[in-house]
Amino acid sequence: MQDEDIGAWSAEYISRTIGAVTRLTGLSVCLYDLNLLRTLDGVKNIDWRHESAFCTAVRMLPEGRAACIQSDVIEGVAQAEREGRACLHTCHAGLCELVVPIMLDERMIGEAFVGQCRLRGGLGWPSVEKCLRPFGRGVETLKARYFELPEVALSDLWDAAALLDNSFRYLVSRLGEDALSSYCAACEPTHVECARKYIDDHFSLPIGAGDVARELHITAAHLTRLFRRAVGESVTDYITRRRIERACEYLRSSEIPIGSLAVNVGFPDQN
């Protein structure tokens, strides 16, 4: 096969494998190519494809995104490298996820995360709440989202691990170091996706379109054109909408004074 045919075949093979795992467990799968991940930009622009409404809300807590990076990118990868086989990883929020290393000889070149989920027979919400308490205010609003997470039997996770392990062993035996490159390159987040992720994580701070553009190392004018074309609204309007949505969540679930609430979601005052 030509190089482009090999790349298309490997991307399709991985997509079908991930789809099979999702059908088996009800969970999404996030695949990391360590060659891409172990760079500053790789960590900064990381795209959590196994995210849920619960995880998105956790990342919006103060220092939530940094804790997710520490848990998944640092600790999860280190655990998989250390064990050299599929294992269960408990994230900083107390959730269970399956971690499957993708090996080339004795070296890990990639990693698949499956989750997060509620493990059937596990410790449940009290344990998760305890893990989240250090993040402060807002934790009490996450309980309903926690119970929206799929509940999965441990046996199903190990079946998923066997499927992923066998599939990636075959792929690596065929393609070696480049086994993951075509799929992961196609999944790299665009400037608009990175902008939305940065805004979602930082809208409670005094940021504007210029700040987002500097984070992505592009001009504000270029970002504005891309963003409006893809999202249908300006960067500024998107920031304002996210702040209003968060304010409405607080109004429904807390008794925070309006003035304090406005400041907490990024508005300079309650007007």
Side-chain angles (χ1 to χ4, degrees):
M1 285 192 290
Q2 300 292 327
D3 287 348
E4 57 269 24
D5 294 331
I6 293 173
W9 172 81
S10 65
E12 177 67 13
Y13 180 90
I14 292 173
S15 293
R16 287 181 177 273
T17 299
I18 288 175
V21 170
T22 298
R23 288 190 295 274
L24 172 65
T25 63
L27 302 175
S28 53
V29 180
C30 182
L31 184 65
Y32 295 162
D33 181 340
L34 295 192
N35 291 324
L36 295 175
L37 188 65
R38 283 171 169 158
T39 66
L40 177 60
D41 286 340
V43 171
K44 182 172 64 179
N45 295 330
I46 186 170
D47 189 15
W48 278 279
R49 290 179 183 80
H50 62 326
E51 71 179 12
S52 60
F54 176 88
C55 296
T56 299
V58 169
R59 281 197 290 280
M60 289 182 180
L61 295 173
E63 304 301 323
R65 177 178 168 84
C68 283
I69 290 176
Q70 175 67 28
S71 176
D72 276 13
V73 182
I74 308 300
E75 296 172 2
V77 170
Q79 181 180 351
E81 281 187 307
R82 187 169 59 250
E83 300 201 17
R85 55 184 173 80
C87 55
L88 295 180
H89 173 66
T90 301
C91 77
H92 64 289
L95 294 180
C96 176
E97 56 190 350
L98 176 69
V99 184
V100 181
I102 300 168
M103 308 297 292
L104 176 61
D105 298 324
E106 299 298 318
R107 181 168 58 89
M108 191 169 82
I109 62 171
E111 182 178 44
F113 276 87
V114 183
Q116 286 87 3
C117 66
R118 293 181 293 131
L119 190 60
R120 194 167 297 157
L123 296 177
W125 170 250
S127 176
V128 171
E129 184 181 30
K130 183 177 179 180
C131 291
L132 292 174
R133 277 180 201 150
F135 291 96
R137 217 171 24 221
V139 170
E140 66 280 354
T141 67
L142 297 175
K143 185 174 182 178
R145 288 174 177 169
Y146 166 78
F147 283 102
E148 293 171 357
L149 292 168
E151 185 179 54
V152 180
L154 183 59
S155 59
D156 287 342
L157 287 180
W158 291 129
D159 286 345
L163 175 57
L164 287 168
D165 185 55
N166 289 330
S167 297
F168 282 114
R169 282 181 187 274
Y170 171 73
L171 188 64
V172 171
S173 73
R174 291 283 305 272
L175 301 181
E177 189 82 36
D178 297 326
L180 309 178
S181 57
S182 293
Y183 176 85
C184 290
C187 292
E188 285 184 354
T190 65
H191 283 313
V192 172
E193 290 171 331
C194 291
R196 292 181 69 166
K197 189 174 295 296
Y198 180 79
I199 293 168
D200 289 346
D201 289 340
H202 296 87
F203 63 77
S204 60
L205 301 175
I207 62 169
D211 301 295
V212 180
R214 278 190 293 275
E215 178 70 16
L216 303 181
H217 307 291
I218 60 177
T219 67
H222 183 51
L223 174 61
T224 298
R225 286 192 297 270
L226 293 175
F227 202 92
R228 186 177 288 280
R229 188 184 308 145
V231 181
E233 61 184 334
S234 70
V235 175
T236 301
D237 287 345
Y238 183 79
I239 293 172
T240 300
R241 179 163 63 83
R242 291 296 293 118
R243 288 169 173 165
I244 291 172
E245 290 171 348
R246 175 52 63 86
C248 290
E249 289 181 17
Y250 280 145
L251 285 172
R252 288 192 297 266
S253 60
S254 72
E255 298 180 357
I256 302 174
I258 294 295
S260 298
L261 187 152
V263 173
N264 285 341
V265 300
F267 290 114
D269 56 58
Q270 63 186 23
N271 299 317

